[in-house]
Amino acid sequence: MRIRRRTLLQWLLGLPAVLSGRLALGGPLGLSGPADPYAALPAWLDTLIPGSGHLPGARQLDIHRQLLRKTESAPDHARLLQAGCRWAEQQALAEHALSFGELDEAARSVIVARAEQQERRQLPRAFFELTLHDGMDFYYADPRVWPHLGYRGPPQPTGYTGYREAPPQP
Amino acid sequence: MKTAEPDYDVLIIGSGAGGGSAAWALTQAGMRVLLLEAGPRFDPQHDYRLDRADWELRSFPVKAGSRRRHTVAGMQALDPSYAHLRSWNKLHGASNTGDRRRPVGYSHVCGVGGSTLHFTGEAHRLHPRAMRMHSDFGVAADWPLDYAALEPWYEQAEDLIGVSGPAGDRQRPRRRGCPLPPHAPAYASARLIDAAQRVGVHFQPNHLVALSQPYDGRPGCNYCGQCRRGCPRDDKGSVDITFVRKAEATGRLTLRTGCAVIAIQGGDRDRIVGVVYRDAQDQEHHARAGRYLVCAGAVETPRLLLNSADSRSPDGLCNESGQVGRNFMETLFWGSSGLFPQRLDGWRGLPADVICWDYNAPDAIPDVIGGVRMSIGTLENDLAGPVNHARRVAGGWGRQHHQRMLQTFGRVITLNGIGEFLPNQDSYIDLDPREADTLGQPLARIHSHLDDMALRRLDFMAGKIRELLRAMGVEELVEEHGSYDLFNCSHVFGSCRMGSDPQRSVVTPGLRSHRWRNLYIMDASVFPSSGGGEAPSLTIQALTLRACAGIAANR
């Protein structure tokens, strides 16, 4: 589901409290923060959309770059992505003494699942929903994914003149 | 205000199904026509980018001025006895968690070609008995003409557009077949036809404006399925590339875009003396013609008439009967989507390529007045591509998401139903007392109310559609939505009804205002009844061509 603007605004209104450590993020704010505020993003997206069989993963398709490009016209999203990445890094450090990107898929999945289960107004949930929705959009709009689904697109210029034929079954 | 320009024979407001066909008919008759369109022109080759990888992330393009604002009045409380008609998605839950109907919107395009730019392209004739709802069933109002009077004009419109379709259907008599043969059903549609036959329901090829073969210098369709995102090939017969293009070729049409009419001026002896319009640079102009045609649609036409109130017409132009804005009718809609046991790859073909008219007659449904139609709807519901499938069907994340995606992609099938909407006193258009546009003109406010008959019709559609999906072998539904809890319309009608009685209607059978001798209305606002789900554009065009023939004969 697309992240609701109301949810995003509610979270942003609470941002000062988040940054001062007064709002619970599942752990105290203790990090000075990585040099790259989005350092966790590729691995986060790769957890949401991993490579599987022949299907490429989000990192392989540079989905994180597309999300970041989108933030150029959406500064609210940029702040949410930064805060979400910071939260992910905090979780990884607190539980494993590693950065989020250094964790294996199973450990990353635990943290992502924790974000998913938070209340809607909480930062981790807002971060989860934004990255999931936009990540999926960019991923499935990538022609490199389509052959693995048996999808021949885009609709033009060739159309689908074989539209009456039975499709191949998996 | 800029000084008045040379007079025209006819001034047309709006270039959709009515205005575009009027422009053609009247220029063909040798008349000089000024066509004022509030929206922009769309360029099929440049604006409809179905060749892009991110095509699915884009709907029909929005340009400056291509959407008109309106408001929706408070909606009715939901009748709990129909709670099984709530809209939902398997991943996201209820679409409306409240206890009142929720407005989603009025889907339209403001531009040269109007809503035909983004429509599916159905070309339907009205059921003959849907034109006699009052005489036969005591509801709505009768049309002041019958099917036989309209048929020659249906034929003229079909010939100009190049309608593709079967020679007939069980409901609508035809003197002759369509100009082009029907499209062969897509693979998914053929499965539907087979399954429906097993339960005694009959689907047939739909009548469509997409060309089944090259015609009139335009190519045949290549079945990309995305009619609703605009056709870049000119094979979908929207009004801009058919009627308007031919009108422009006569050299007698002056078409101005970005020009919003803000007032129609009545003068002495019940004659309109001009219109005031604002152009894209916000300059005000005055234009005059011998005759004036208002073709802005069932929401914007009453809005313009009501906003044109003055000392001669204190209740709004043409509103001596009090009927301007009243009798508003909308799309009554239901859709169910589920997973077929095997891949169908339903992104291929044409939207709504097959249709069922079995329940379209006004008395076809037991204990219900007003008919319905059903059609395949996977493409119309935008469940054709991988992005929407991931969003609305597969869901989840991680490897489980991938598994679900690989297991289900290509298997979605949607069936849609559209039904009759009877006019009622709580469904109407008026002017919003608080909201105005950038020119200071009050916005149209839509009041929508479903009566009990509409709910029973919805109930029937939902039940029948679910039965058909089961007959196809669909065991898992993934999404349903309908008008019960969501106000989301595209077809709108009735708000300036035609009739013979000036006390009960706004325009005559010839679509002329009962009062104003040189003012006509030519859009779906003149419909006295909506029909049992028929798409209105071909009927709008037939009514318009007929009325314009009358104008040309009396010039």
Side-chain angles (χ1 to χ4, degrees):
Chain A
M1 176 174 286
R2 184 177 297 276
I3 182 168
R4 295 197 175 105
R5 179 157 178 78
R6 179 197 270 182
T7 304
L8 178 59
L9 287 172
Q10 286 174 340
W11 175 79
L12 284 171
L13 284 172
L15 184 55
V18 167
L19 295 177
S20 70
R22 280 181 281 126
L23 267 188
L25 290 180
L29 270 172
L31 284 180
S32 58
D36 177 3
Y38 302 107
L41 192 58
W44 178 273
L45 288 166
D46 219 39
T47 313
L48 292 174
I49 315 169
S52 179
H54 296 295
L55 275 166
R59 194 196 310 247
Q60 191 178 342
L61 301 182
D62 281 344
I63 298 299
H64 63 285
R65 294 193 201 283
Q66 297 186 64
L67 258 79
L68 292 177
R69 209 171 298 132
K70 189 177 176 182
T71 63
E72 292 168 8
S73 58
D76 289 354
H77 286 193
R79 291 204 293 276
L80 177 52
L81 289 180
Q82 288 177 25
C85 288
R86 195 166 176 177
W87 176 84
E89 296 285 11
Q90 283 181 333
Q91 302 293 302
L93 188 68
E95 291 173 22
H96 303 281
L98 293 171
S99 70
F100 185 82
E102 290 173 310
L103 299 179
D104 64 19
E105 183 178 324
R108 285 185 272 121
S109 295
V110 168
I111 296 172
V112 171
R114 186 176 302 145
E116 181 185 19
Q117 286 149 19
Q118 301 266 323
E119 289 296 317
R120 273 226 130 84
R121 292 187 57 191
Q122 297 291 326
L123 157 69
R125 176 73 180 270
F127 174 63
F128 168 83
E129 290 197 357
L130 176 66
T131 51
L132 180 68
H133 181 274
D134 284 4
M136 288 285 182
D137 277 5
F138 288 127
Y139 182 82
Y140 286 109
D142 193 316
R144 290 172 288 182
V145 174
W146 298 344
H148 305 287
L149 299 174
Y151 172 67
R152 188 171 63 78
Q156 295 291 350
T158 58
Y160 305 112
T161 51
Y163 70 106
R164 301 177 62 194
E165 296 161 9
Q169 300 296 327
Chain B
M1 187 188 305
K2 290 200 172 179
T3 54
E5 56 190 293
D7 289 354
Y8 293 84
D9 294 315
V10 181
L11 187 154
I12 301 175
I13 302 167
S15 65
S21 51
W24 173 77
L26 297 171
T27 52
Q28 285 291 114
M31 302 175 87
R32 293 167 302 128
V33 175
L34 173 62
L35 176 53
L36 297 177
E37 168 53 55
R41 200 188 279 260
F42 286 83
D43 179 347
Q45 278 72 48
H46 291 104
D47 292 331
Y48 309 144
R49 298 306 306 275
L50 297 175
D51 57 329
R52 292 175 59 117
D54 61 354
W55 69 272
E56 204 181 349
L57 301 181
R58 303 159 187 271
S59 304
F60 186 86
V62 176
K63 290 181 154 185
S66 71
R67 294 243 182 102
R68 305 303 293 270
R69 283 182 58 216
H70 61 276
T71 61
V72 180
M75 307 227 85
Q76 73 201 85
L78 297 176
D79 182 339
S81 60
Y82 290 98
H84 55 284
L85 299 178
R86 277 194 178 268
S87 305
W88 62 276
N89 174 279
K90 191 165 184 178
L91 299 174
H92 306 300
S95 305
N96 177 3
T97 55
D99 59 1
R100 292 191 165 269
R101 245 180 126 206
R102 179 167 74 81
V104 175
Y106 160 45
S107 174
H108 69 283
V109 175
C110 187
V112 178
S115 293
T116 69
L117 295 173
H118 79 155
F119 77 160
T120 293
E122 294 176 307
H124 295 158
R125 298 184 179 191
L126 200 63
H127 193 293
R129 295 181 67 206
M131 303 169 83
R132 296 179 49 82
M133 295 300 287
H134 193 261
S135 293
D136 289 356
F137 305 101
V139 297
D142 287 348
W143 290 50
L145 65 158
D146 59 16
Y147 180 88
L150 211 48
E151 184 161 25
W153 310 104
Y154 275 132
E155 291 171 352
Q156 186 177 57
E158 289 169 347
D159 285 343
L160 186 142
I161 295 166
V163 170
S164 305
D169 63 64
R170 298 173 181 180
Q171 313 289 340
R172 274 152 284 273
R174 294 179 74 98
R175 300 189 303 189
R176 40 143 257 206
C178 274
L180 297 180
H183 296 272
Y187 178 78
S189 303
R191 305 286 70 74
L192 169 61
I193 291 172
D194 292 344
Q197 271 178 349
R198 292 196 292 273
V199 294
V201 177
H202 173 253
F203 277 78
Q204 65 175 61
N206 205 348
H207 290 87
L208 298 169
V209 303
L211 300 176
S212 57
Q213 58 194 38
Y215 183 82
D216 198 22
R218 291 159 43 219
C221 181
N222 70 354
Y223 303 100
C224 80
Q226 293 303 317
C227 302
R228 301 203 60 185
R229 283 182 164 84
C231 180
R233 292 167 44 85
D234 283 5
D235 64 60
K236 186 183 90 167
S238 52
V239 163
D240 56 327
I241 62 160
T242 53
F243 291 98
V244 173
R245 184 178 285 175
K246 289 179 181 295
E248 287 184 300
T250 67
R252 287 185 283 275
L253 177 67
T254 302
L255 168 57
R256 300 216 173 105
T257 59
C259 292
V261 174
I262 59 175
I264 303 172
Q265 298 170 320
D268 293 335
R269 290 175 287 119
D270 290 340
R271 292 192 70 84
I272 301 298
V273 296
V275 305
V276 178
Y277 70 93
R278 287 270 181 95
D279 65 20
Q281 286 70 47
D282 211 30
Q283 293 294 303
E284 199 165 282
H285 301 263
H286 183 267
R288 295 185 308 184
R291 290 181 175 88
Y292 300 82
L293 277 52
V294 185
C295 311
V299 173
E300 287 295 320
T301 284
R303 176 188 177 222
L304 176 58
L305 296 178
L306 294 172
N307 273 327
S308 296
D310 61 12
S311 58
R312 297 176 198 266
S313 300
D315 296 322
L317 205 67
C318 305
N319 200 22
E320 286 69 29
S321 63
Q323 295 297 297
V324 170
R326 310 302 301 189
N327 312 303
F328 174 72
M329 296 172 280
E330 65 189 71
T331 327
L332 188 73
F333 173 81
W334 178 265
S336 296
S337 302
L339 294 177
F340 188 73
Q342 289 125 27
R343 280 185 77 118
L344 295 168
D345 289 6
W347 58 79
R348 308 172 298 162
L350 278 163
D353 65 341
V354 296
I355 192 165
C356 171
W357 294 114
D358 291 0
Y359 307 99
N360 172 246
D363 57 355
I365 303 170
D367 301 321
V368 175
I369 299 172
V372 306
R373 42 66 69 99
M374 295 177 290
S375 53
I376 194 162
T378 316
L379 287 162
E380 281 185 299
N381 280 26
D382 211 9
L383 276 172
V387 170
N388 275 288
H389 192 93
R391 283 179 186 168
R392 292 157 60 185
V393 181
W397 55 277
R399 293 179 190 279
Q400 275 190 326
H401 162 78
H402 276 322
Q403 279 175 8
R404 175 82 171 158
M405 198 70 185
L406 291 170
Q407 284 166 0
T408 61
F409 185 68
R411 290 172 49 199
V412 170
I413 182 156
T414 302
L415 294 190
N416 288 341
I418 298 178
E420 178 111 34
F421 191 100
L422 297 175
N424 64 77
Q425 65 178 14
D426 296 316
S427 286
Y428 58 94
I429 306 293
D430 66 0
L431 296 179
D432 195 298
R434 283 177 292 275
E435 298 280 342
D437 63 13
T438 54
L439 303 177
Q441 296 264 298
L443 297 180
R445 181 171 60 176
I446 300 174
H447 298 254
S448 165
H449 180 86
L450 300 186
D451 60 16
D452 184 63
M453 199 62 75
L455 292 169
R456 285 197 253 164
R457 224 172 285 117
L458 271 174
D459 197 24
F460 174 84
M461 283 197 284
K464 187 57 68 176
I465 283 171
R466 288 166 178 162
E467 177 191 346
L468 286 165
L469 288 174
R470 281 195 301 272
M472 289 189 77
V474 169
E475 292 179 350
E476 179 185 352
L477 292 180
V478 296
E479 183 179 274
E480 295 186 306
H481 54 279
S483 303
Y484 165 70
D485 56 346
L486 300 176
F487 168 71
N488 187 11
C489 65
S490 51
H491 302 162
V492 288
F493 324 75
S495 48
C496 292
R497 165 190 285 185
M498 64 173 162
S500 300
D501 182 353
Q503 300 305 311
R504 295 172 185 271
S505 56
V506 177
V507 295
T508 67
L511 306 187
R512 203 207 73 188
S513 163
H514 284 294
R515 173 181 175 183
W516 300 97
R517 305 162 73 80
N518 60 343
L519 178 72
Y520 300 76
I521 299 175
M522 298 187 185
D523 57 37
S525 66
V526 304
F527 284 32
S529 63
S530 72
E534 292 90 329
S537 63
L538 192 72
T539 300
I540 295 170
Q541 287 156 349
L543 283 170
T544 297
L545 293 174
R546 178 175 177 271
C548 288
I551 290 174
N554 290 300
R555 62 184 295 204

